[in-house]
Amino acid sequence: MAGPGTGMREQIAAAGSLVAGLGLMAAILLAGPGLVAPIVPAGWSQAGQETAFVLLLYGAMVVVALAAGAVLHHKVVALGISPGWRFAAGLSLGLLGICLATTFATIAGGLRFGEGGGGATVLLLGLVLVFFQAAAEELYFRGWIQPVLARAWGVLPAIGVTALGFAALHMLGAAVAPLSFLNLLLGGLFFGTLAAQGGGLAGAIGAHFAWNGTEQLVLGLDPNPGIGSFGSLFDLDLAGPAAWGGSAEGLNASLAMAMALVVVLVPLAMLARTAAPAPAVSSR
């Protein structure tokens, strides 16, 4: 599985990054909430408490990724080629994907309006946190782990293995349905392809932010039913068969999201095969 011309140093860096990256992320996800809870004032609002949790837990991921980059002499914060254009393209693809998923779920299962809605100030804070969360995850997986694996094993195996790790670690949270794992895997392939194609994180961050932000804070589809602590512009709930979004995991455990991810991923992968290859890894 090693790439041509790679040496022992690259193989050790890849294996170490994979083991350490997955292990440390699992530790943050499993032990982090218990460590953070005692230091967050109980009197804070739900939005305030969630803000503290996100900043501390995802901030820890950023610190770990930056430390790993320093040890490996690898530039973790690399936005890539034409970052502004790539970010805008990622935003567009992420928005297209979540709108397609919502459309498929509506056709197959049903959509109804709830009674939610959020204040503009709290909603803006939610958008900032969703961006931070998406950027932290992309920095960790596609800024650190994927490029180091690509240098040792090649780009395609690196995208696939990183996506598997991304999906498996997310299953340590609230996701339990098999369809959630499939969608997380497809999402990881989607973000990983954007990062590899652009030679950096700009496109992947844009797509990740647009997908999560639209689902949670614009459409109000996560959680299902209801809305999160930061509110949402609309409060849409999915009903009907669980396989089409009518479960507690909503779109994230639906065939609708799988179909949407395939629709955006396949042309992107075909374009990546025909276009000139972008740099797979950036080093200091």
Side-chain angles (χ1 to χ4, degrees):
M1 194 159 63
T6 57
M8 183 62 68
R9 181 175 179 179
E10 286 78 11
Q11 296 300 321
I12 292 173
S17 292
L18 187 59
V19 173
L22 298 183
L24 289 170
M25 176 69 91
I28 291 171
L29 294 175
L30 292 174
L35 296 174
V36 171
I39 64 176
V40 177
W44 283 12
S45 66
Q46 186 177 355
Q49 293 185 31
E50 186 173 342
T51 299
F53 272 82
V54 169
L55 291 177
L56 291 171
L57 294 181
Y58 287 87
M61 296 176 194
V62 172
V63 170
V64 169
L66 292 176
V71 170
L72 297 172
H73 304 289
H74 164 62
K75 188 178 180 181
V76 174
V77 186
L79 295 179
I81 304 166
S82 304
W85 184 89
R86 296 281 178 179
F87 181 78
L91 279 174
S92 300
L93 285 172
L95 182 60
L96 172 64
I98 189 62
C99 288
L100 283 174
T102 304
T103 300
F104 294 151
T106 300
I107 294 171
L111 191 72
R112 63 189 180 195
F113 284 87
E115 300 177 354
T121 302
V122 178
L123 198 61
L124 179 60
L125 175 60
L127 282 171
V128 172
L129 285 179
V130 169
F131 179 83
F132 177 69
Q133 181 177 346
E137 289 189 356
E138 291 309 313
L139 187 75
Y140 197 98
F141 286 100
R142 262 66 66 171
W144 166 26
I145 297 176
Q146 179 174 301
V148 174
L149 298 187
R151 184 161 50 188
W153 301 346
V155 175
L156 291 181
I159 293 173
V161 171
T162 304
L164 278 171
F166 177 79
L169 287 171
H170 276 73
M171 296 299 286
L172 296 177
V176 294
L179 273 174
S180 289
F181 181 82
L182 173 63
N183 288 331
L184 286 163
L185 176 61
L186 290 172
L189 294 174
F190 175 42
F191 301 142
T193 301
L194 283 170
Q197 189 178 19
L201 298 175
I205 291 174
H208 202 153
F209 169 60
W211 196 296
N212 289 4
T214 303
E215 182 181 15
Q216 297 171 25
L217 300 171
V218 177
L219 301 178
L221 289 168
D222 183 19
N224 186 56
I227 57 175
S229 57
F230 296 99
S232 178
L233 287 179
F234 303 97
D235 178 14
L236 303 181
D237 298 326
L238 290 169
W244 291 101
S247 70
E249 293 184 48
L251 276 181
N252 297 321
S254 72
L255 289 171
M257 182 170 283
M259 291 168 58
L261 282 165
V262 169
V263 168
V264 296
L265 177 59
V266 170
L268 186 66
M270 293 175 64
L271 179 63
R273 287 173 61 89
T274 58
V281 63
S282 299
S283 298
R284 289 197 189 108

